[in-house]
């Protein structure tokens, strides 16, 4: 395994993906195998408030000698002006105490929110949601995605989109307001542990242009480095608009599929390219490419 990453011209980067360590359906080993099949060369596993998928993924890569570079990642849920904003951290030390402390708090917040969601569903005559969602989450971080899957299994809806619209989106029966950390706290933990912060899927928060610029100002002022400009499923023109915003705010650009499970629309590595005029995060921050020694002295994660 080389110590430095191949350049972007020769390698496909997918810097946003999920495993069973949060609400993904594939195990870390299954995910890295699929990434290779999809010709991804550099993958970041970015589970919700968890880094538990990284070590098993690295072990699987080494075991099978897969031609894949793994970048450490995480997707941290934050609260900003009553919006749930996701901050992706890349290239940090997953065992750094600043990161571990923040993720431990976030895990407690997730658990408390899950109890609140289940309480609301119970009042709406849907008992057993906590046990059901917890069983689906296993050891992983519990998310609304698990409640969604449980509700579908109970026959309450047919698709994920439907179940969120009916039960779990903001303002619906099963929505409980979360207590996430702030954007500043997420970025601080990422920086203290040696990583770079990316504002995830900026188009998915339902913000007007004016509010999106406010969010970018806050993110930038807090020291955030990059904008997720490219995802595999985006409305037409969004990529160009986000590229223009990255340029205006002098932010680097990132790209990721946000893969959760095999499905016809979202796939690892699919349609991931950056428009001209933006600088890729891996080019602006070459230190991301330096593999940091882990606790066992190996050079593995990036
Ligand atoms: P949480 O972090 O517990 O609030 O859960 C958020 C997760 O739920 C997201 O990362 C998505 O995986 C999933 N999710 C949110 N909204 C939708 C939606 N409309 N359709 C499908 N999945 C969704
Ligand atoms: Mn998710
Ligand atoms: Mn997200
Ligand atoms: Mn995600």
């Amino acid at each position: 395994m080389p110590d430095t990453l191949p350049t972007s011209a020769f390698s496909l980067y997918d810097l946003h993906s999920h495993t069973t360590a949060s609400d993904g359906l594939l195990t870390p080993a299954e995910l890295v195998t699929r990434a290779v099949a999809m010709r991804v060369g550099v993958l970041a596993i970015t589970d919700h408030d968890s880094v538990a998928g990284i070590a098993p993924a690295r072990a699987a890569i080494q075991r099978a000698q897969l031609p894949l570079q793994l970048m450490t990642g995480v997707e941290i849920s934050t609260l900003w002006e009553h919006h749930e904003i996701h901050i992706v951290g890349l290239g940090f030390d997953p065992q750094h105490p600043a990161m571990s402390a923040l993720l431990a708090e976030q895990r407690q917040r997730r658990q408390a929110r899950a109890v609140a969601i289940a309480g609301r569903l119970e009042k709406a005559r849907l008992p057993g949601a906590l046990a059901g969602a917890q069983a689906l989450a296993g050891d992983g971080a519990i998310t609304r995605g698990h409640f969604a899957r449980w509700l579908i299994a109970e026959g309450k809806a047919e698709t994920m989109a439907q179940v969120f619209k009916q039960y779990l989106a903001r303002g619906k029966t099963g929505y409980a307001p979360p207590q996430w950390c702030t954007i500043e706290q997420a970025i601080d933990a990422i920086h203290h542990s040696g990583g770079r912060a990316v504002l995830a899927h900026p188009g998915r928060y339902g913000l007007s242009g004016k509010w999106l610029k406010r969010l970018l100002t806050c993110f930038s002022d807090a020291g955030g480095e990059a904008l997720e400009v490219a995802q595999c499923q985006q409305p037409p023109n969004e990529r160009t608009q986000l590229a223009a915003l990255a340029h205006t705010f002098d932010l680097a650009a990132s790209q990721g599929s946000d893969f959760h499970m095999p499905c016809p629309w979202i796939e690892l590595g699919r349609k991931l390219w950056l428009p001209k005029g933006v600088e890729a995060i891996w080019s602006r921050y070459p230190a991301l490419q330096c593999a940091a020694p882990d606790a066992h002295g190996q050079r593995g994660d990036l």
Side-chain angles (χ1 to χ4, degrees):
M1 194 75 70
D3 276 342
T4 52
L5 295 177
T7 65
S8 58
F10 302 105
S11 194
L12 176 54
Y13 286 72
D14 189 335
L15 303 183
H16 190 153
S17 68
H18 296 270
T19 74
T20 46
S22 65
D23 57 356
L25 270 191
L26 302 188
T27 63
E30 288 166 342
L31 188 81
V32 293
T33 306
R34 192 176 183 96
V36 172
M38 297 302 156
R39 302 179 185 279
V40 171
V42 183
L43 178 75
I45 290 176
T46 54
D47 277 307
H48 297 289
D49 301 303
S50 171
V51 291
I54 296 171
R58 184 173 53 214
I61 290 169
Q62 284 178 352
R63 211 169 36 238
Q65 289 290 296
L66 298 177
L68 181 68
Q69 296 276 341
L70 194 67
M71 194 183 280
T72 51
V74 69
E75 183 173 14
I76 301 174
S77 290
T78 74
L79 258 188
W80 175 82
E81 304 282 354
H82 307 291
H83 293 282
E84 294 187 46
I85 305 296
H86 291 180
I87 306 293
V88 160
L90 294 175
F92 55 90
D93 170 6
Q95 284 153 347
H96 193 284
M99 182 57 76
S100 307
L102 179 73
L103 296 185
E105 283 174 20
Q106 292 282 98
R107 196 173 179 91
Q108 282 178 6
R109 293 174 179 132
R110 283 200 166 276
Q111 207 56 43
R113 186 195 201 187
V115 171
I117 289 175
R120 283 171 196 252
L121 291 174
E122 181 134 11
K123 274 196 194 140
R125 300 187 191 181
L126 290 161
L130 187 59
Q134 197 80 69
L136 291 172
D139 290 339
I142 192 162
T143 70
R144 279 184 293 164
H146 298 104
F147 283 99
R149 272 192 238 144
W150 178 78
L151 284 163
I152 290 171
E154 292 287 299
K156 302 298 172 194
E158 278 181 16
T159 65
M160 291 291 272
Q162 225 176 48
V163 80
F164 268 89
K165 207 170 160 190
Q166 243 175 296
Y167 294 97
L168 297 168
R170 193 161 145 188
K172 301 298 158 114
T173 324
Y175 182 81
Q179 307 258 314
W180 307 131
C181 65
T182 63
I183 288 179
E184 290 83 358
Q185 286 168 329
I187 294 178
D188 279 354
I190 292 165
H191 285 173
H192 276 115
S193 54
R196 304 291 178 179
V198 183
L199 181 66
H201 43 65
R204 254 193 263 159
Y205 302 120
L207 300 175
S208 65
K210 185 171 137 192
W211 275 92
L212 184 53
K213 281 184 184 153
R214 273 189 199 169
L215 172 59
L216 286 173
T217 303
C218 163
F219 176 77
S220 228
D221 288 351
E225 282 98 354
L227 205 56
E228 202 171 72
V229 166
Q231 298 145 55
C232 77
Q233 222 188 14
Q234 272 177 309
N237 300 329
E238 187 185 275
R239 201 174 291 208
T240 322
Q241 286 159 5
L242 292 177
L245 282 171
H247 187 76
T248 306
F249 284 81
D250 191 25
L251 292 164
S254 187
Q255 61 184 38
S257 61
D258 204 2
F259 179 89
H260 280 73
M261 62 193 80
C263 80
W265 311 282
I266 296 172
E267 187 51 82
L268 288 162
R270 181 184 289 175
K271 295 191 197 162
L272 295 181
W273 49 267
L274 293 173
K276 284 209 169 67
V278 295
E279 191 177 6
I281 186 170
W282 55 87
S283 304
R284 186 174 289 189
Y285 300 104
L288 274 179
Q289 303 185 13
C290 298
D294 68 12
H296 311 289
Q298 297 160 329
R299 288 173 72 84
D301 288 330
L302 297 163

